[in-house]
Every structure is written in structure tokens, then in C-alpha cells.
Amino acid sequence: MEFNESKNIFLQIRDWVADQILQGKIVAGEKIPSVRELAVEMEVNRNTVMRSYSLMEEEGIIENKRGIGFFVATDAKRNLLKMQKQTFLSDELPSILHQIEVLKLNSVDLQILIQTIQSNDHENQ
Amino acid sequence: MEFNESKNIFLQIRDWVADQILQGKIVAGEKIPSVRELAVEMEVNRNTVMRSYSLMEEEGIIENKRGIGFFVATDAKRNLLKMQKQTFLSDELPSILHQIEVLKLNSVDLQILIQTIQSNDHENQ
DNA sequence: TTTAGTGTCATAATACACTATGACAGTATA
DNA sequence: TATACTGTCATAGTGTATTATGACACTAAA
């Protein structure tokens, strides 16, 4: 996997797994890749994956079953949605707004952005 | 200054100076804070500031005058606008779009974002 | 019971960001 | 000339992310 240089790998792995859950590619109760398995797949040391999983366990989005592996926790998706939404709005959005102001980006530059938001308006629930 | 944990300090200092230029708080030809001065102000080692300045010199947005200090390069603002705009659209926007889709953020959640973009539409030049 | 798969812990080594200092050459000013 | 600024370079130390391994307990299945 390709990692961003300016962000810790174990955090990017956490983000990747969280994204899989949010996209519904892994559902509650389902087993996620084993520590060793994901380490090989991402070409990373198993200790690094272990660190990501420990973090996610603390966050309550995955749970461990002795000798078997890690599983997606009940309500993981709902909790992730809540957490990530709040993080995005309070931590990331301000920086984004600032860049848009400074760079004077208008609705032509950001046409795709506006379309993406509007398409979410037409979704139910 | 408060730094983000998951991004290198010398990059954040670069971003800060670049932002000052983009906002017009420092103009072309003007002297920027000395290495030692900014180091004290940001409570950081002078070598770290030196690293940021070296990077910006390579990017051509500041220039050095022997024994005097660093100065904002001619066209620094114009070049920064071009560079940052491209970086934002190609590197950051895709990730933002992905998060908006996954988190199902609508125009109510992102009301401020839309307003910010629209206010740029009414600007001249 | 044996085998192969889980996570977990400990240890050591490497890489790099950041800090802490000292020293030196160039420039401006008193 | 003397002083006080500039940037620059070198050196050493610290903290931490990441890697590399080995060993161990637990579980499932042959």
C-alpha cells in the first residue's frame, strides 16, 4: 500500500480499516484480516498493524476473540460515522475553509465538490 | 505555536509562512523573520526553521541576501497561488470528496462551506 | 494429540525529526 | 574597528516510528 509521508503509518492503517467499515465492506461481527495477514498485504511490520488494531480496540470499533482474531464491534459503523463526522467538521473543515478563502477558489474550481454535496441531499435517511 | 502531531514541524512552519504571503501580510521584497527570531517565537530549534527556509528557497518563494536575511521573492504570491491551488485540487480534494461521500455530509452539514465558496464567486479579478 | 492459525510481549536495531551548542563568514551600524 | 545582527555548517544527544525476530498462550481442526 502507498502511504502518505507526512502521517504515521499506523494511523493510516487505522483510517483504511475504518473506511472499509464505513463503506460497508466489512460489517459488524465480521472478522477483519489477521495482524500477520494485513502486515504482509500492506508490506509493513506486524507490530505496526498491531498498533493500529490496539488503537481501534481502545476506540471500541473492533473487538478481540482470544486465539481467533479481531472482529468488527456492534454499532461500529454508527459510532464511526458519529466520530468521523465530528472530527471532520471540527478539525478538518476549518483548514479547508481557510484554504478556499486564501486561494480564492470559486464554484467553478470546486464544481465537483458542490455536486458531491448535492447528491447527498437527495439520499434518504 | 501549536503544531499538529501528525505532520512534521518544519512543513507546518513552511505552511505558516506561505500563508502569510498568500494573505498579503508579507509582500514581495519584504524581509521575513530571521531564522533565530522565528525559532524563538515558535519555540522551536533554529535548525528546524532553517530547514523550512531552505525548503522555501528551493521552491523559489523566498531568497537569501548574504548576512542580511531572507526576503519574499518576486512573484512569490502568484507562484504560491498556482502551486497551492494545484496541490489542493489534485492532492487534498479527492480525500475530502471521499469523506463527504462516506460520511453522507449534505448541504446542511456543510452550509458554511457552500457559503464560503459562493462568496468567492462574487469577487472580481 | 498434533498442527496451524490467532494475538501478545520482549528485545534489539535502524531511520529520522528535533533539539542543543559551538563556531565561522558576511553585512550593517555606531 | 568593534558590535550585533544575519545565515550556515558540524557535531552530538534524545525521542519515537518502524522494522526484525523470537517466544509464548490460546483456539480450531485434522
Side-chain angles (χ1 to χ4, degrees):
Chain A
M1 182 181 178
E2 293 181 1
F3 294 104
N4 188 329
E5 293 178 7
S6 58
K7 188 170 183 179
N8 294 340
I9 291 179
F10 78 95
L11 291 176
Q12 295 184 57
I13 293 178
R14 190 217 83 110
D15 289 344
W16 182 84
V17 176
D19 199 72
Q20 297 291 105
I21 295 174
L22 282 174
Q23 289 190 48
K25 294 183 177 176
I26 320 177
V27 299
E30 190 174 347
K31 185 177 178 299
I32 67 177
S34 77
V35 171
R36 286 176 171 84
E37 191 179 345
L38 191 58
V40 172
E41 184 181 332
M42 297 208 158
E43 296 175 313
V44 149
N45 190 273
R46 67 189 188 220
N47 293 331
T48 305
V49 176
M50 187 61 207
R51 191 169 177 186
S52 306
Y53 281 15
S54 296
L55 173 59
M56 290 189 280
E57 195 178 21
E58 286 178 13
E59 294 177 319
I61 63 180
I62 63 176
E63 290 167 351
N64 175 251
K65 292 185 184 176
R66 277 188 150 195
I68 305 182
F70 283 97
F71 297 76
V72 176
T74 314
D75 289 336
K77 185 174 179 177
R78 193 169 55 84
N79 291 333
L80 263 179
L81 263 174
K82 191 176 179 181
M83 289 167 48
Q84 303 269 67
K85 202 165 174 174
Q86 185 176 337
T87 300
F88 182 84
L89 295 177
S90 66
D91 295 358
E92 303 185 43
L93 187 54
S95 164
I96 295 171
L97 292 178
H98 184 260
Q99 289 194 72
I100 290 178
E101 288 173 357
V102 172
L103 298 177
K104 298 256 178 291
L105 298 172
N106 57 35
S107 57
V108 176
D109 301 314
L110 302 175
Q111 187 182 357
I112 309 177
L113 178 61
I114 294 177
Q115 288 176 354
T116 303
I117 297 173
Q118 287 176 343
S119 78
N120 281 345
D121 290 341
H122 307 318
E123 301 242 343
N124 304 333
Q125 163 218 348
Chain B
M1 182 179 176
E2 293 181 2
F3 295 105
N4 189 328
E5 292 179 7
S6 58
K7 188 169 184 180
N8 294 341
I9 291 179
F10 78 94
L11 292 176
Q12 294 184 57
I13 293 177
R14 191 216 83 110
D15 290 345
W16 182 84
V17 176
D19 199 72
Q20 297 290 105
I21 296 175
L22 283 173
Q23 288 190 49
K25 294 183 177 176
I26 320 178
V27 299
E30 190 174 348
K31 185 176 178 297
I32 67 177
S34 78
V35 171
R36 288 176 170 84
E37 190 180 345
L38 191 58
V40 171
E41 185 181 332
M42 297 209 158
E43 296 176 314
V44 149
N45 190 275
R46 67 188 188 219
N47 293 332
T48 304
V49 175
M50 188 62 206
R51 192 169 177 185
S52 307
Y53 281 15
S54 295
L55 173 60
M56 290 189 280
E57 195 178 19
E58 285 179 13
E59 295 176 319
I61 63 182
I62 62 176
E63 290 167 350
N64 174 251
K65 292 186 185 175
R66 278 187 150 197
I68 305 182
F70 283 98
F71 297 75
V72 177
T74 315
D75 289 336
K77 185 173 179 178
R78 193 168 57 85
N79 291 333
L80 263 179
L81 263 174
K82 191 176 180 180
M83 288 168 48
Q84 304 269 68
K85 202 165 172 173
Q86 184 176 335
T87 300
F88 182 84
L89 294 177
S90 66
D91 295 357
E92 302 185 44
L93 188 55
S95 164
I96 295 171
L97 292 178
H98 184 259
Q99 288 194 72
I100 290 178
E101 288 172 358
V102 172
L103 298 177
K104 298 254 178 291
L105 298 172
N106 57 35
S107 58
V108 176
D109 300 315
L110 301 175
Q111 188 181 356
I112 309 178
L113 178 61
I114 294 178
Q115 288 177 354
T116 303
I117 297 172
Q118 287 176 342
S119 79
N120 281 345
D121 289 342
H122 307 319
E123 301 242 345
N124 304 332
Q125 165 230 349

